[in-house]
Amino acid sequence: MERFVEQTYLYDFYGELLTQHQRQIYNDYVLDNLSISEIADENGISRQAVHDQIKKIDRILAGYEEKLHLVEKFIDIKGYAGDIARIAKELGGDEGRKIIELARSIDKEL
């Protein structure tokens, strides 16, 4: 999985478990694509402190995923929904359309 996508998923699933300060720094770095220097200036801290925080947050989020596997399960379920839609499309007819609608509603829920 691409690094940015992985960081985004981890932050989406576990970001609320971080402190407000950690969320702000990680949000600025990952989602807003600010440089370490920009984040340091914005928060009145050194670039080294920002770098250390980002590395620490990466470890924290990876640790949550290692224990809970929510991102892994989410990706699996999305894959299953895609498989269901593909099979239903192959079936065709009214039943196929109903199954496709169900798969799409599952995908939207995720």
Side-chain angles (χ1 to χ4, degrees), residues 27-74:
N27 186 64
D28 288 346
Y29 184 70
V30 174
L31 302 180
D32 295 340
N33 200 29
L34 296 181
S35 71
I36 289 175
S37 295
E38 291 170 318
I39 297 168
D41 290 344
E42 189 176 286
N43 289 280
I45 57 178
S46 70
R47 289 181 298 146
Q48 185 63 47
V50 173
H51 181 268
D52 291 346
Q53 274 293 331
I54 292 167
K55 293 295 179 192
K56 179 180 178 180
I57 295 164
D58 280 336
R59 285 191 308 272
I60 290 169
L61 295 175
Y64 288 140
E65 176 61 14
E66 187 177 306
K67 290 177 180 100
L68 301 171
H69 305 283
L70 296 178
V71 173
E72 178 185 337
K73 291 173 186 173
F74 171 78

